[in-house]
Amino acid sequence: MKKILLVDVDAIADKIRKKKRKRFPNIALMKISAWHKQQGDQVSWDEQDPDIIYASIVFTENKDALYFLQNDYPNAEIHIGGSGYSFETLPEEIDMMMPDYSIYEGKYSIGFSTRGCNRKCSYCLVYKKEGKIRKYMEIKQFHDPKRKNIVLLDNNILALKGWFKKNMAYVKKHNLKVDF
């Protein structure tokens, strides 16, 4: 059994800078947690002597909040990712996992049914990172049946109309509420 430390860099940076903003859970860390728990590993936010550390950064402005990792955990294997750090993606076996909703408080399931975007806005990195819009996951793949609310983070939910209709049929069948 390995000891895994998760680090939500954006949340740490907000605390350091005393920013109060509504934050969504970090889906990549939720999927990493689910995968490691499936392997029988111990996953936590405050592991004192981790074997492996996963740090995720969504916003580039928060890269500087990583300074402590190498100094505080010299013996740990450290993996840093997220759009604010690199365009590297999770391995497919982890990326397609049901997120571990137990690591964040919340009353909703969260995810993407599509990835990418057909626009190439100069201020946005979605097209650069993910390319053209494409099907990604059906809502049922990330919906926790104990939750009646879904938060969809798709960049252009209507771009693939047939895919949208298929997913909304699932929403309707299960009487779910969706925040787009």
Side-chain angles (χ1 to χ4, degrees):
M1 175 179 74
K2 295 178 184 169
K3 294 179 285 182
I4 310 300
L5 173 64
L6 302 177
V7 180
D8 184 337
V9 177
D10 298 300
I12 292 170
D14 282 355
K15 284 181 186 176
I16 292 169
R17 295 181 180 117
K18 296 181 179 158
K19 287 187 177 180
K20 299 276 186 191
R21 58 177 152 187
K22 182 176 172 154
R23 301 199 39 77
F24 286 114
N26 186 299
I27 299 170
L29 291 176
M30 293 167 74
K31 291 179 178 192
I32 289 167
S33 176
W35 189 84
H36 273 285
K37 285 179 178 178
Q38 188 178 70
Q39 307 309 307
D41 296 332
Q42 177 183 315
V43 180
S44 124
W45 294 110
D46 57 5
E47 177 60 51
Q48 299 303 307
D49 186 28
D51 298 306
I52 304 171
I53 299 171
Y54 291 94
S56 180
I57 307 167
V58 176
F59 301 106
T60 55
E61 68 191 38
N62 295 329
K63 280 185 182 182
D64 62 338
L66 284 173
Y67 66 90
F68 68 94
L69 287 179
Q70 293 287 8
N71 292 331
D72 290 359
Y73 305 101
N75 299 320
E77 177 182 324
I78 300 173
H79 300 273
I80 302 169
S83 300
Y85 187 77
S86 76
F87 286 173
E88 188 176 340
T89 59
L90 291 172
E92 187 172 353
E93 66 184 301
I94 296 174
D95 192 37
M96 299 313 284
M97 296 279 309
M98 166 76 80
D100 178 1
Y101 290 105
S102 73
I103 67 171
Y104 283 99
E105 291 182 22
K107 296 181 180 180
Y108 52 83
S109 297
I110 186 168
F112 294 86
S113 69
T114 61
R115 295 306 295 232
C117 184
N118 290 337
R119 296 178 183 90
K120 297 179 183 177
C121 302
S122 62
Y123 58 85
C124 183
L125 59 79
V126 173
Y127 185 85
K128 294 174 196 155
K129 179 181 179 188
E130 300 176 3
K132 291 186 177 191
I133 197 156
R134 66 191 181 288
K135 295 176 187 176
Y136 176 62
M137 291 179 85
E138 292 182 49
I139 289 175
K140 68 181 178 184
Q141 291 177 269
F142 61 83
H143 171 232
D144 176 354
K146 294 178 253 164
R147 300 162 190 252
K148 284 297 192 183
N149 297 315
I150 302 281
V151 174
L152 270 180
L153 300 173
D154 295 42
N155 294 299
N156 187 347
I157 193 71
L158 298 174
L160 302 173
K161 289 182 183 23
W163 185 247
F164 174 74
K165 287 179 182 179
K166 178 179 182 174
N167 279 287
M168 291 307 105
Y170 176 84
V171 166
K172 187 174 180 180
K173 178 180 177 183
H174 295 280
N175 197 29
L176 303 173
K177 294 180 181 175
V178 182
D179 179 350
F180 294 95

